[in-house]
Amino acid sequence: MPTIARPSGRALDESRPVSLEIGFARHAEGSVLIKVGGTEVLCAASVETRVPPFLRGQGQGWITAEYGMLPRATHTRGNREAAKGKQSGRTQEIQRLIGRALRACVDLKALGEMTITLDCDVLNADGGTRCAAITGAWVALAIALEKQIKAGVLKKSPLRAQVAAVSCGLTKAGAVLDLDYVEDSAAQADTNFVLTSEGGIVEIQGTAEDAPFSEEQFNELMRLAKLGTARLFEAQRLALASVA
Amino acid sequence: MPTIARPSGRALDESRPVSLEIGFARHAEGSVLIKVGGTEVLCAASVETRVPPFLRGQGQGWITAEYGMLPRATHTRGNREAAKGKQSGRTQEIQRLIGRALRACVDLKALGEMTITLDCDVLNADGGTRCAAITGAWVALAIALEKQIKAGVLKKSPLRAQVAAVSCGLTKAGAVLDLDYVEDSAAQADTNFVLTSEGGIVEIQGTAEDAPFSEEQFNELMRLAKLGTARLFEAQRLALASVA
Amino acid sequence: MPTIARPSGRALDESRPVSLEIGFARHAEGSVLIKVGGTEVLCAASVETRVPPFLRGQGQGWITAEYGMLPRATHTRGNREAAKGKQSGRTQEIQRLIGRALRACVDLKALGEMTITLDCDVLNADGGTRCAAITGAWVALAIALEKQIKAGVLKKSPLRAQVAAVSCGLTKAGAVLDLDYVEDSAAQADTNFVLTSEGGIVEIQGTAEDAPFSEEQFNELMRLAKLGTARLFEAQRLALASVA
Amino acid sequence: MPTIARPSGRALDESRPVSLEIGFARHAEGSVLIKVGGTEVLCAASVETRVPPFLRGQGQGWITAEYGMLPRATHTRGNREAAKGKQSGRTQEIQRLIGRALRACVDLKALGEMTITLDCDVLNADGGTRCAAITGAWVALAIALEKQIKAGVLKKSPLRAQVAAVSCGLTKAGAVLDLDYVEDSAAQADTNFVLTSEGGIVEIQGTAEDAPFSEEQFNELMRLAKLGTARLFEAQRLALASVA
Amino acid sequence: MPTIARPSGRALDESRPVSLEIGFARHAEGSVLIKVGGTEVLCAASVETRVPPFLRGQGQGWITAEYGMLPRATHTRGNREAAKGKQSGRTQEIQRLIGRALRACVDLKALGEMTITLDCDVLNADGGTRCAAITGAWVALAIALEKQIKAGVLKKSPLRAQVAAVSCGLTKAGAVLDLDYVEDSAAQADTNFVLTSEGGIVEIQGTAEDAPFSEEQFNELMRLAKLGTARLFEAQRLALASVA
Amino acid sequence: MPTIARPSGRALDESRPVSLEIGFARHAEGSVLIKVGGTEVLCAASVETRVPPFLRGQGQGWITAEYGMLPRATHTRGNREAAKGKQSGRTQEIQRLIGRALRACVDLKALGEMTITLDCDVLNADGGTRCAAITGAWVALAIALEKQIKAGVLKKSPLRAQVAAVSCGLTKAGAVLDLDYVEDSAAQADTNFVLTSEGGIVEIQGTAEDAPFSEEQFNELMRLAKLGTARLFEAQRLALASVA
């Protein structure tokens, strides 16, 4: 039984409060400012009636994502990627993950020849930015799709499920749900789970930072992830209901 | 006498409502989310105890700025500069302008060997983003400097004056104050004025978009700019007073 | 009354001698080597029968400019931008200015679907290179357009006016016309004026380098600019007459 | 019970033959050409007596990796990354994975101020290149460390365990071990497991390509991964024994 | 008469053993791993039914080459060009040379609208990598062309001659054939000869590293080059015969 | 006996008129505008009291070169390398050649810890730009060295010989000296010879453009090159004498 408390005082299976402010990016077809504790990510969906070259003439659509972090979203200022002239490996890894996660819940054939780009920009960072980006991007995507249905461009929604993500990890306090920055920096292992509202696994990224971990530990992390994403699915539904 | 109304219905010398939300970027030494009508720019000041190579050992500090625009801050999505691998000429021109404008109101000797970087990121764009960035960056800078004084790093403020900026232009409605995007796109001429609270001119950038303009027209634009910046100086003072 | 002389011994309203050597770039449709005191800029106009993508099918032409400085045009060698792999913010700012200045004096509809690129390369620098580039580029452009008329490609000249530029500034000697490098380095304020032969303002770029300046000072700079450009317009006309 | 055979005719839990040719890169401190079926990766370890800036003066070492693929390692020629001027997101993601995987099995304090870079270059690709790279890089690393011990630079090996990796996936034939290119292209889900010889999990990367998968399916993939890596650990030991 | 022996103990006109392992890059239309002493270069030919823009619609084909060196092909690790973001001047110079050398022995009209790219990647380097690349690339090209003939795409071979290359140089031992790395580093002059099996000169690149050399010395180097390439032509013929 | 005349009407062994205008780049330690027929290259020598990292502390100097071509130096406008963001392979090949050629005639030990950079910028191109650049750069270098001697920085000249370059080629008119652009474009073979005033060979770059050439043809090209460089050495001496 762990006797070391989490830095935030949260229970082991307690996630941070979530809020979803819809319409923050006023020009976007769908947008949300998601806040998960101190992490804030602006997610904006842009709809374009074209597809990338490798999909032309195949009668299907595409979902892609880009990720960025404002230079001063973090404790110490980071260099601006536009000024450095390239996106870091971390940035590219995250935006590829977001894109895959969202494609896994969309029927691309039903989408038709359309590309939806999800821009996820971190305004304030306190751990779990890629998970917040996925959870928020799903909402921005859902709003943009709803707009296409209302406009008669799409007959029915190509969304097959909700998608949300949460990170769980092994810390001195034990296996915990929804790591913040302080926990993340010192965790023995950190795993991001991208799950669907129907109980499916979309992506698992588990990494031992310091020492390998066991299958039992991994199973406990997955149990926590299901708890955490259930709350995120509820928050997504409430946010969408508020604008229906 | 012009009989054509401004698209927004504003009077010729009426500027848009301004709000300044202090502390938006929680990790920054000073930050503000400035809203000028539909234009929203997050300005964050980062203090570092080093100076660029060309100033080393000269006992003076430096103020610099970087500017960015989120891809979907605009009506149609723009390419992400980090993904393209370089900042556009427009971006570099704007961030050089912001840096010069703020340096002109700071005693760099009194600042000591310290660099303050102002990150100005446009979250929503509706014309006048560079002017909003300058006006907001001054507030972020003032807060960051105040924090250095409270921490005993600086003995007194190296700020010599307030700085704010506004764009004025020649439109079908006549010479107008504080152009929004619709007006800016169709203006015959557009001039950005960076002025100080003490009546000084820091920078003037006047451009004829279509046809040259006259000295009389220019003088009318400068008259409007003084009106507009007077209101911005008042808004800056009120915002700082609220956190004093 | 200023008692400090200008470093060059020139009167306050005295500009440097100007010469225009036409045809220096033998392959170009129009070219001139402009010398303004010790500043020498090779301006070459290239005509191509295509327009950039954003203008296709609109029945109008385009004027654009590129600017460069040879590494040893200056007192100490500068890095070659091609070797560094990118153009500086200063370079981009200048070439955007040259392009805008020339477009303001051309009827782009009358030009038809044609792009004219003005390459302005500084061979020797002694202050005022962007102004010399604009003044010279106008001559190169006029020659290239004349050639199109003679070849029957254009029926009449799409040129609406002459364009020239000069820098004026506030120095220890007072407000002066046509700053050279020594003056420019130490000026309190520096303003570039791009004016037309018909008295119009095309662009004003005024910058306080050290301390803000007043409206009265600005008005004196504009008075000097009109004097200076009047001499440049005369030089442009003489040069063109010599090749008519 | 699956009635669809694997394209290669292998049993569901049958991995491809593995060979490890030690010393292929003659100048490297340790090197191996690993072949896993038709996939061939040249892994070379380079030892340098310096550490990256962020570790200086901390008395610990660093392990890092770089990954590349020859343009014609694949069915159709890919563009050369050096010619394109940047590494793809995929390349960066893979080399970050290899680096993390190897660091997890090394006591960096015991390594001392030394950097070991593992270059993993794919000469022929037939699926599973990142897994082959990790498995081979561990051997190259072990040889390089052994050489440091023999030379008296290190007193004992900082290796804490063997590390190997294998991909498992869900195909029409069912859950299978060690996907080749044909299987990988059509898999419903693909998971890379990086495990240690002591039963620990170093990294899990599971991705649903088309539809989400269940926890039961995931558990079956992990069972297969343990089988597969057990064989790889044996091959690593045999290869090292041959050069001891 | 030189009394200083070559570092390798070879006679002045003795070249290193050559081997050609055909089919190393299994997916390529033609490939060979050429070994010239300790230098090993993997040469792969890729056939594509398109031509570069400047040749479109002219009914002729194109041969081009790319060159790379694995980071640890050398004594000390070199930086990866893909990571640095650009190819060095040396790399570009070499790949331009390889392309020219191969084009000189092919009837591009007879090739038809087809591009063949020769990727030459150095796996181990011990001097003379560009010469080995040319000699090996010719074999990869010949195999790829033979495959086109067998497939009925080409009626007859567009090859006009064999091409091979060797470096000769002036060392302390005198004028020598086929320099290895140790000799190359210390040579007074180094010349690469690209010759055809019919006695023609395709390319000569002679460079004095330290002091200029005489015409007599140059003639002796050319005599050695003829000897050396004669052996390479024989090796090329034997290798091709083995797969015919 | 060739009955086809050269396009320019020159005799087979007739080179173009050469002029050397010293001091064109006024800020440079040495400079010359060299004209060889219609080819004009501005060569500027910059002296800096530092050496590249690989030479530090070795008590010797360094000579290096950079090459560029103004966009409109040619018949059709070329893209500006600074705008493209990289130097072409051709540019890098040429500037490496110029650097090697000049280093071969300088005693780098006698130069001391000093770097001299030769910037060679083509203002007008009509074939043979790299040869003109070498011939002119030698003059700029000699002037810069002379200045160091006069200033007492160097005791005696580290120059060991004059260096000049000329291109010879095989054309329809036969083997000819000093190809202009029209001849160069259609030549069967083109060879650049860099020779010293003392009869030494510094560099030979011979390339068959279309069909291989014979040793006899090569020997005739070398004979012409000796004739041509003899005239260039004379021109260099006269130019230097004029400023002594």
Side-chain angles (χ1 to χ4, degrees):
Chain A
M1 203 181 74
T3 55
I4 300 176
R6 298 179 72 173
S8 59
R10 280 188 277 149
L12 298 186
D13 62 354
E14 183 182 348
S15 42
R16 295 178 287 178
V18 174
S19 82
L20 293 156
E21 181 181 344
I22 285 177
F24 194 93
R26 281 194 309 277
H27 302 301
E29 279 71 37
S31 79
V32 69
L33 177 64
I34 183 171
K35 302 186 186 180
V36 179
T39 288
E40 305 187 6
V41 186
L42 175 49
C43 306
S46 298
V47 177
E48 291 164 295
T49 53
R50 54 165 189 76
V51 288
F54 68 91
L55 283 182
R56 272 181 206 146
Q58 299 188 23
Q60 74 161 83
W62 190 240
I63 309 281
T64 186
E66 294 195 4
Y67 172 93
M69 196 182 270
L70 295 194
R72 199 54 199 280
T74 47
H75 283 83
T76 54
R77 185 175 185 273
N79 288 324
R80 189 176 288 266
E81 292 190 330
K84 283 192 296 183
K86 67 174 180 175
Q87 295 179 297
S88 70
R90 178 185 173 277
T91 290
Q92 293 190 62
E93 193 173 309
I94 292 175
Q95 64 193 13
R96 284 158 53 89
L97 167 64
I98 302 171
R100 281 198 308 270
L102 293 177
R103 284 195 295 277
C105 72
V106 173
D107 179 347
L108 296 173
K109 289 280 179 202
L111 186 59
E113 294 222 335
M114 183 188 295
T115 293
I116 303 184
T117 303
L118 280 309
D119 284 291
C120 301
D121 286 275
V122 180
L123 306 188
N124 280 294
D126 186 22
T129 63
R130 77 185 70 186
C131 292
I134 290 169
T135 305
W138 185 86
V139 174
L141 174 62
I143 294 169
L145 289 171
E146 193 59 31
K147 194 169 289 182
Q148 303 309 304
I149 292 168
K150 283 190 182 145
V153 179
L154 290 176
K155 291 203 178 138
K156 63 186 192 100
S157 177
L159 276 178
R160 297 193 290 213
Q162 285 172 261
V163 163
V166 74
S167 79
C168 304
L170 301 172
T171 70
K172 287 183 182 166
V176 300
L177 172 62
D178 190 19
L179 283 72
D180 58 27
Y181 176 74
V182 172
E183 288 175 313
D184 191 49
S185 311
Q188 175 205 339
D190 176 18
T191 303
N192 296 296
F193 292 89
V194 186
L195 306 179
T196 73
S197 50
E198 303 186 340
I201 300 170
V202 166
E203 185 110 8
I204 294 176
Q205 288 189 337
T207 302
E209 296 291 334
D210 188 41
F213 54 96
S214 70
E215 198 170 347
E216 291 69 36
Q217 289 174 311
F218 178 79
N219 289 339
E220 171 61 7
L221 296 180
M222 191 177 284
R223 191 187 67 81
L224 291 170
K226 287 181 194 164
L227 274 181
T229 49
R231 291 170 199 152
L232 295 169
F233 293 132
E234 180 65 15
Q236 288 177 333
R237 281 190 296 264
L238 283 173
L240 288 184
S242 74
V243 294
Chain B
M1 204 178 74
T3 54
I4 301 176
R6 297 181 71 173
S8 60
R10 280 189 276 150
L12 297 186
D13 62 355
E14 181 181 349
S15 43
R16 295 177 287 178
V18 174
S19 82
L20 293 156
E21 180 181 344
I22 285 177
F24 194 92
R26 281 194 310 277
H27 301 301
E29 280 71 36
S31 79
V32 69
L33 177 64
I34 183 172
K35 301 186 187 181
V36 179
T39 288
E40 306 187 6
V41 185
L42 175 49
C43 306
S46 297
V47 177
E48 292 165 293
T49 53
R50 53 167 190 74
V51 288
F54 68 91
L55 284 182
R56 272 180 207 147
Q58 300 189 23
Q60 76 162 83
W62 190 241
I63 310 279
T64 186
E66 294 195 5
Y67 171 92
M69 195 182 271
L70 295 194
R72 199 54 200 281
T74 46
H75 284 83
T76 55
R77 184 176 184 272
N79 288 324
R80 188 176 288 267
E81 291 190 331
K84 283 193 296 183
K86 67 174 180 177
Q87 295 179 298
S88 71
R90 179 185 172 275
T91 290
Q92 292 190 63
E93 193 172 309
I94 292 176
Q95 64 192 13
R96 284 157 54 89
L97 168 65
I98 302 171
R100 281 198 308 271
L102 293 177
R103 283 194 296 276
C105 71
V106 173
D107 178 347
L108 296 173
K109 288 279 179 202
L111 186 60
E113 292 223 336
M114 181 188 298
T115 293
I116 303 185
T117 303
L118 279 308
D119 284 292
C120 301
D121 285 275
V122 180
L123 306 187
N124 280 295
D126 186 21
T129 64
R130 78 186 69 186
C131 292
I134 289 170
T135 305
W138 185 86
V139 175
L141 174 62
I143 294 169
L145 288 172
E146 193 58 32
K147 193 169 291 181
Q148 304 308 304
I149 293 169
K150 282 191 181 144
V153 178
L154 290 176
K155 291 203 178 139
K156 62 185 193 99
S157 177
L159 274 178
R160 298 193 291 213
Q162 285 173 259
V163 163
V166 73
S167 79
C168 304
L170 302 172
T171 69
K172 288 183 181 165
V176 300
L177 171 61
D178 189 21
L179 284 72
D180 58 28
Y181 176 75
V182 171
E183 287 174 314
D184 190 50
S185 312
Q188 176 206 338
D190 175 17
T191 302
N192 297 296
F193 292 88
V194 186
L195 305 179
T196 73
S197 49
E198 303 185 342
I201 300 171
V202 167
E203 184 111 8
I204 294 176
Q205 289 190 338
T207 302
E209 297 290 335
D210 188 42
F213 53 97
S214 70
E215 197 169 346
E216 291 67 38
Q217 289 174 312
F218 178 79
N219 289 339
E220 170 63 7
L221 296 180
M222 190 176 285
R223 191 187 68 81
L224 291 170
K226 287 180 194 166
L227 273 182
T229 49
R231 292 170 199 153
L232 295 170
F233 293 132
E234 179 65 16
Q236 288 177 333
R237 282 189 297 265
L238 283 173
L240 287 184
S242 74
V243 294
Chain C
M1 205 181 74
T3 55
I4 301 176
R6 298 180 71 173
S8 59
R10 280 189 277 150
L12 298 185
D13 63 355
E14 182 181 349
S15 42
R16 296 177 286 180
V18 174
S19 82
L20 294 156
E21 181 180 343
I22 285 177
F24 194 93
R26 281 195 308 277
H27 301 301
E29 279 73 34
S31 78
V32 69
L33 177 63
I34 182 171
K35 303 186 186 179
V36 178
T39 288
E40 305 187 6
V41 186
L42 175 49
C43 307
S46 297
V47 178
E48 291 164 294
T49 53
R50 55 167 188 74
V51 287
F54 68 91
L55 283 182
R56 272 180 206 146
Q58 300 189 23
Q60 75 162 84
W62 189 241
I63 309 281
T64 186
E66 295 194 3
Y67 172 92
M69 195 182 270
L70 293 194
R72 199 55 199 282
T74 46
H75 284 84
T76 55
R77 185 175 184 272
N79 288 324
R80 189 176 288 266
E81 292 191 329
K84 283 192 296 183
K86 65 174 181 176
Q87 294 178 299
S88 71
R90 179 185 173 276
T91 291
Q92 291 189 63
E93 193 172 309
I94 292 175
Q95 63 193 12
R96 284 158 53 90
L97 167 65
I98 302 170
R100 279 198 309 271
L102 294 176
R103 282 194 296 278
C105 72
V106 173
D107 178 347
L108 296 173
K109 290 278 178 202
L111 186 59
E113 294 222 335
M114 181 188 295
T115 293
I116 303 184
T117 303
L118 280 307
D119 285 291
C120 301
D121 286 274
V122 180
L123 306 187
N124 280 295
D126 186 20
T129 63
R130 78 186 70 186
C131 291
I134 290 169
T135 306
W138 184 86
V139 175
L141 173 63
I143 294 170
L145 288 172
E146 193 58 32
K147 193 169 290 182
Q148 304 309 304
I149 293 168
K150 282 189 181 145
V153 177
L154 290 176
K155 291 201 178 140
K156 63 187 192 98
S157 177
L159 275 177
R160 297 194 290 213
Q162 285 173 260
V163 164
V166 74
S167 79
C168 304
L170 301 172
T171 70
K172 288 181 183 167
V176 301
L177 172 62
D178 190 19
L179 284 70
D180 58 28
Y181 176 76
V182 172
E183 288 174 314
D184 189 50
S185 311
Q188 176 206 337
D190 176 17
T191 303
N192 296 295
F193 292 89
V194 186
L195 305 179
T196 72
S197 50
E198 303 186 341
I201 300 170
V202 166
E203 185 113 7
I204 294 177
Q205 289 190 337
T207 302
E209 297 290 334
D210 189 41
F213 52 97
S214 69
E215 198 170 347
E216 292 66 40
Q217 289 174 313
F218 179 79
N219 289 338
E220 171 62 7
L221 297 180
M222 190 176 284
R223 190 188 68 82
L224 292 169
K226 287 180 195 166
L227 274 180
T229 49
R231 292 171 199 152
L232 295 169
F233 293 131
E234 179 65 16
Q236 288 177 335
R237 281 189 296 264
L238 283 173
L240 288 185
S242 75
V243 294
Chain D
M1 204 181 73
T3 53
I4 300 176
R6 298 180 71 174
S8 58
R10 281 189 275 150
L12 297 187
D13 62 356
E14 182 181 349
S15 43
R16 294 177 287 179
V18 174
S19 82
L20 293 155
E21 180 180 343
I22 284 176
F24 194 93
R26 281 194 310 275
H27 301 301
E29 279 72 36
S31 78
V32 68
L33 177 63
I34 183 171
K35 301 185 186 180
V36 178
T39 288
E40 306 187 5
V41 186
L42 175 50
C43 305
S46 297
V47 177
E48 290 164 293
T49 53
R50 55 166 188 76
V51 288
F54 68 90
L55 284 182
R56 272 180 206 147
Q58 301 190 22
Q60 76 163 81
W62 190 242
I63 309 281
T64 187
E66 293 194 7
Y67 172 92
M69 195 182 272
L70 295 193
R72 199 53 199 281
T74 45
H75 284 84
T76 55
R77 186 175 184 272
N79 288 324
R80 187 176 290 266
E81 290 190 331
K84 283 192 297 182
K86 67 174 182 178
Q87 294 179 299
S88 71
R90 179 185 173 276
T91 290
Q92 292 190 62
E93 193 173 309
I94 292 176
Q95 63 194 12
R96 283 158 54 90
L97 168 65
I98 301 171
R100 281 198 308 271
L102 293 177
R103 283 194 296 276
C105 72
V106 173
D107 179 347
L108 295 173
K109 289 278 177 202
L111 186 59
E113 292 223 336
M114 181 188 297
T115 293
I116 304 184
T117 303
L118 280 308
D119 284 293
C120 301
D121 285 276
V122 180
L123 306 187
N124 280 296
D126 187 20
T129 63
R130 77 185 71 187
C131 292
I134 290 169
T135 305
W138 184 86
V139 174
L141 173 62
I143 293 169
L145 288 172
E146 193 58 32
K147 192 168 291 181
Q148 303 309 304
I149 293 169
K150 282 188 181 146
V153 177
L154 290 176
K155 291 201 177 141
K156 63 186 191 100
S157 177
L159 274 178
R160 297 194 291 212
Q162 286 173 258
V163 163
V166 74
S167 79
C168 303
L170 301 172
T171 69
K172 287 184 180 163
V176 301
L177 172 60
D178 190 19
L179 284 71
D180 58 26
Y181 176 75
V182 172
E183 287 175 314
D184 190 49
S185 312
Q188 176 207 337
D190 176 17
T191 303
N192 295 296
F193 292 88
V194 186
L195 305 179
T196 74
S197 51
E198 301 186 343
I201 300 169
V202 167
E203 184 112 6
I204 294 176
Q205 288 190 338
T207 302
E209 296 290 334
D210 188 42
F213 53 97
S214 70
E215 197 170 347
E216 292 67 40
Q217 288 174 313
F218 179 78
N219 289 339
E220 171 62 8
L221 296 180
M222 190 177 286
R223 192 187 66 81
L224 291 170
K226 288 182 193 164
L227 273 181
T229 50
R231 292 170 199 152
L232 294 170
F233 293 131
E234 180 65 15
Q236 288 177 333
R237 282 189 296 266
L238 283 172
L240 288 184
S242 75
V243 293
Chain E
M1 202 181 75
T3 55
I4 299 176
R6 298 179 72 173
S8 60
R10 280 188 276 150
L12 297 186
D13 64 354
E14 183 182 347
S15 42
R16 294 177 287 179
V18 173
S19 83
L20 293 156
E21 180 181 343
I22 284 176
F24 194 93
R26 281 194 309 276
H27 301 300
E29 279 73 37
S31 79
V32 68
L33 177 63
I34 183 170
K35 301 185 186 181
V36 178
T39 288
E40 306 187 8
V41 186
L42 174 49
C43 306
S46 297
V47 177
E48 291 164 293
T49 53
R50 52 167 190 76
V51 288
F54 68 90
L55 283 181
R56 273 180 206 148
Q58 300 189 23
Q60 76 162 82
W62 190 242
I63 309 281
T64 186
E66 294 194 5
Y67 172 92
M69 195 181 271
L70 294 194
R72 199 55 200 279
T74 46
H75 284 83
T76 55
R77 185 174 184 274
N79 287 324
R80 188 176 289 266
E81 291 189 331
K84 282 192 296 182
K86 66 174 182 177
Q87 295 180 298
S88 71
R90 178 185 174 276
T91 291
Q92 292 189 63
E93 192 172 310
I94 292 176
Q95 64 194 13
R96 283 158 53 91
L97 168 64
I98 302 171
R100 281 198 308 271
L102 293 177
R103 282 195 295 277
C105 72
V106 173
D107 179 346
L108 295 173
K109 288 279 180 202
L111 186 58
E113 293 222 336
M114 181 188 295
T115 293
I116 303 183
T117 303
L118 280 308
D119 284 291
C120 300
D121 285 275
V122 181
L123 306 187
N124 280 295
D126 187 20
T129 64
R130 78 186 70 188
C131 291
I134 290 170
T135 306
W138 184 86
V139 175
L141 174 62
I143 293 169
L145 288 171
E146 192 59 33
K147 192 168 291 181
Q148 303 310 303
I149 293 168
K150 281 189 181 146
V153 178
L154 290 175
K155 291 200 177 143
K156 64 186 192 98
S157 176
L159 275 177
R160 297 193 290 212
Q162 286 173 260
V163 163
V166 74
S167 79
C168 303
L170 301 172
T171 71
K172 289 183 180 164
V176 301
L177 172 60
D178 190 19
L179 282 72
D180 57 28
Y181 176 76
V182 172
E183 288 175 313
D184 190 49
S185 311
Q188 175 205 340
D190 175 18
T191 302
N192 296 295
F193 292 89
V194 185
L195 305 178
T196 74
S197 50
E198 301 187 343
I201 300 170
V202 167
E203 184 112 7
I204 294 176
Q205 289 190 335
T207 303
E209 298 288 335
D210 189 41
F213 53 97
S214 70
E215 197 169 348
E216 292 66 38
Q217 288 174 312
F218 178 80
N219 289 339
E220 170 61 8
L221 297 180
M222 191 178 284
R223 191 188 67 80
L224 291 170
K226 286 181 195 165
L227 273 180
T229 48
R231 292 170 199 153
L232 294 170
F233 293 132
E234 180 65 15
Q236 287 177 335
R237 282 188 297 263
L238 283 172
L240 287 184
S242 75
V243 293
Chain F
M1 205 179 75
T3 55
I4 300 177
R6 297 180 72 173
S8 58
R10 282 188 276 150
L12 298 186
D13 63 355
E14 182 182 348
S15 42
R16 294 178 286 179
V18 174
S19 82
L20 293 155
E21 180 181 344
I22 285 177
F24 194 92
R26 282 195 309 276
H27 302 299
E29 279 72 36
S31 78
V32 69
L33 176 64
I34 182 171
K35 301 185 187 181
V36 179
T39 288
E40 306 186 7
V41 186
L42 174 50
C43 305
S46 297
V47 177
E48 292 164 295
T49 54
R50 53 166 191 75
V51 288
F54 68 91
L55 283 182
R56 274 181 205 146
Q58 300 189 24
Q60 75 161 83
W62 190 241
I63 309 280
T64 186
E66 294 194 6
Y67 172 92
M69 195 181 270
L70 294 194
R72 198 54 201 280
T74 46
H75 284 82
T76 55
R77 185 175 184 272
N79 288 323
R80 188 176 288 266
E81 291 189 331
K84 283 192 297 182
K86 66 174 184 178
Q87 294 179 299
S88 71
R90 178 185 173 276
T91 290
Q92 291 190 63
E93 193 172 310
I94 291 175
Q95 63 193 13
R96 284 158 54 89
L97 168 65
I98 301 171
R100 282 197 308 270
L102 293 177
R103 283 194 295 278
C105 72
V106 173
D107 178 347
L108 295 174
K109 289 279 179 203
L111 186 59
E113 293 222 337
M114 182 188 294
T115 293
I116 303 183
T117 303
L118 280 308
D119 284 292
C120 301
D121 286 275
V122 181
L123 305 188
N124 280 296
D126 187 20
T129 65
R130 77 186 70 187
C131 292
I134 290 170
T135 305
W138 184 87
V139 175
L141 174 63
I143 293 169
L145 288 171
E146 193 57 34
K147 192 169 291 182
Q148 304 309 304
I149 293 168
K150 282 189 181 148
V153 178
L154 290 176
K155 290 201 179 140
K156 61 186 194 97
S157 176
L159 275 178
R160 298 192 291 213
Q162 285 173 258
V163 163
V166 74
S167 79
C168 304
L170 301 172
T171 69
K172 287 182 181 166
V176 300
L177 172 62
D178 189 20
L179 283 71
D180 57 28
Y181 176 76
V182 171
E183 287 175 314
D184 190 49
S185 311
Q188 177 205 337
D190 176 17
T191 302
N192 296 295
F193 292 88
V194 186
L195 305 179
T196 74
S197 51
E198 302 186 341
I201 300 170
V202 166
E203 184 110 9
I204 294 175
Q205 290 189 336
T207 302
E209 297 290 334
D210 188 42
F213 54 96
S214 70
E215 198 168 348
E216 291 67 37
Q217 289 174 311
F218 179 79
N219 290 340
E220 171 61 8
L221 296 180
M222 190 177 285
R223 190 186 68 80
L224 291 170
K226 288 180 194 165
L227 274 181
T229 49
R231 292 170 199 153
L232 294 170
F233 294 131
E234 180 65 15
Q236 288 177 333
R237 281 189 296 265
L238 284 172
L240 288 184
S242 74
V243 292

